[in-house]
């Protein structure tokens, strides 16, 4: 069964001085989120950016994938804390998302640090959002067993 999700955005004005609003998403979990060029390239000032949303998607997807892989290995996590840092930068041809760096710390009974790191790397490669970014964005993971 395919899961289909949608988001609707309204943009007014030119790129640099214009602004947009993420009006609705399929789940209705978020709406009315302001987005601007400045929130991408300078400071957020209470507005989101596509890269921030990619970071949220990557962190949450990775947490699910890692949790699943740990569980399959017989060591379900008690808790995982995951962050994703997505970098948007100027490159030769303009701007590009250049990297997504995952950082995870976890409480997992019955696993050693080496196996935790090995599984963390495998989860990075198995996460569907990682797979969507792979080959176009540098991906990394830093894993710490608590």
């Amino acid at each position: 069964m395919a899961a289909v999700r949608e988001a609707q955005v309204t943009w007014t004005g030119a790129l640099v001085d214009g602004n947009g609003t993420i009006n609705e998403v399929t789940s209705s979990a978020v709406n009315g989120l302001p987005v601007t060029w400045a929130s991408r390239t300078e400071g957020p000032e209470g507005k989101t950016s596509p890269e921030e949303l990619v970071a949220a998607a990557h962190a949450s997807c990775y947490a699910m994938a890692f949790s699943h892989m740990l569980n399959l290995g017989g060591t379900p996590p008690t808790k995982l804390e995951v962050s994703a840092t997505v970098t948007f930068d100027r490159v030769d041809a303009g701007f590009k998302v250049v990297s997504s760096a995952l950082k995870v710390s976890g409480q997992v009974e019955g696993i050693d640090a080496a196996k935790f790191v090995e599984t963390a790397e495998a989860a990075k490669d198995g996460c569907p959002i990682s797979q969507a970014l792979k080959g176009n964005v540098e991906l990394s993971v830093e894993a710490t067993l608590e």
Side-chain angles (χ1 to χ4, degrees):
M1 172 174 100
V4 178
R5 302 293 184 263
E6 295 181 24
Q8 192 278 325
V9 174
T10 300
W11 186 270
T12 56
L15 174 62
V16 175
D17 61 352
N19 62 76
T21 304
I22 300 169
N23 298 312
E24 61 183 81
V25 297
T26 302
S27 68
S28 299
V30 297
N31 61 49
L33 294 176
V35 60
T36 64
W37 178 251
S39 66
R40 293 181 90 176
T41 60
E42 297 170 21
E45 297 183 15
K47 299 172 183 76
T48 194
S49 69
E51 293 72 29
E52 184 173 69
L53 299 172
V54 169
H58 200 193
S60 59
C61 181
Y62 177 80
M64 290 182 215
F66 193 23
S67 173
H68 180 63
M69 291 187 80
L70 288 165
N71 190 57
L72 288 176
T75 54
T78 303
K79 179 176 153 182
L80 298 173
E81 293 282 343
V82 179
S83 66
T85 302
V86 170
T87 301
F88 179 67
D89 202 0
R90 183 181 292 274
V91 294
D92 296 335
F95 284 87
K96 180 183 187 295
V97 173
V98 295
S99 65
S100 183
L102 295 162
K103 193 175 208 178
V104 59
S105 63
Q107 298 171 359
V108 183
E109 296 295 323
I111 195 171
D112 65 23
K115 185 67 175 173
F116 184 80
V117 170
E118 176 186 325
T119 307
E121 282 290 337
K124 175 189 56 101
D125 296 334
C127 162
I129 298 297
S130 290
Q131 291 173 6
L133 298 172
K134 190 175 183 175
N136 193 41
V137 173
E138 180 185 330
L139 302 175
S140 63
V141 64
E142 178 185 323
T144 305
L145 179 63
E146 295 178 4

